[in-house]
Amino acid sequence: MPKRPDGLVNRKGSKIFYCRKRVPEKLVPIIGRKKFMVSLKTADYQEAKRKLRSVKFEIEQKIDAAEQKLERSKSAQPTALLDEEVKAMAIDWFIKHEQDLDRKYRNLQPKNIGAAVDGLRANLEGQPCTGKM
């Protein structure tokens, strides 16, 4: 039997042919897999060879699209944020920060209030906190 075309394989224990194509490592995060394994839905060698061409073409199109997406992401310029977007992001951050502080200090015992205030003051000033709660 002549050498099989690249990418034409059988799975172990199966007579059905598949098209297998590895995804370039740099494209795995974009495509979401390391290889394509597409059933040609035939056990006939000649029919599998005919189907292989079109399946390989489709896979190559997906790989090309991923490469273009990667190139666009490399050359993409940061976009300017609208004032409303910046305000919304700041408000979201403050609300989350306030909720975190509320959870942290909700059950604070009176004897630990001084240390908690020192910790908050140090946090606001960017200093390391030395007080114990």
Side-chain angles (χ1 to χ4, degrees):
M1 181 182 249
K3 184 179 179 237
R4 287 186 180 179
D6 285 341
L8 185 62
V9 297
N10 293 97
R11 284 195 173 171
K12 194 172 186 175
S14 174
K15 293 182 180 185
I16 301 296
F17 285 98
Y18 288 81
C19 174
R20 180 178 63 201
K21 173 83 173 153
R22 290 184 191 268
V23 172
E25 191 67 34
K26 66 181 181 180
L27 300 177
V28 169
I30 295 171
I31 293 177
R33 58 171 80 174
K34 292 183 178 185
K35 67 179 176 181
F36 286 98
M37 188 73 136
V38 180
S39 173
L40 300 175
K41 300 177 181 162
T42 184
D44 180 76
Y45 179 72
Q46 294 302 324
E47 185 179 354
K49 282 188 359 182
R50 283 190 299 276
K51 288 183 173 186
L52 179 66
R53 285 189 288 268
S54 65
V55 171
K56 281 176 81 171
F57 179 75
E58 290 173 13
I59 292 171
E60 287 298 329
Q61 284 182 317
K62 290 177 183 178
I63 290 173
D64 289 344
E67 284 176 342
Q68 290 173 3
K69 185 174 182 179
L70 180 64
E71 288 304 314
R72 282 193 307 270
S73 70
K74 284 181 181 177
S75 65
Q77 296 295 321
T79 58
L81 295 173
L82 300 174
D83 286 344
E84 297 83 24
E85 293 173 313
V86 173
K87 288 176 187 175
M89 290 169 65
I91 290 169
D92 289 344
W93 182 86
F94 279 108
I95 290 172
K96 182 186 179 308
H97 190 67
E98 184 180 36
Q99 290 169 344
D100 290 345
L101 288 174
D102 185 50
R103 277 192 292 280
K104 184 174 182 180
Y105 297 110
R106 180 178 296 142
N107 297 321
L108 187 65
Q109 300 298 320
K111 63 181 181 178
N112 296 329
I113 289 178
V117 170
D118 290 342
L120 286 170
R121 185 175 292 121
N123 190 358
L124 291 172
E125 295 172 354
Q127 304 295 320
C129 179
T130 57
K132 302 229 181 212
M133 288 187 283

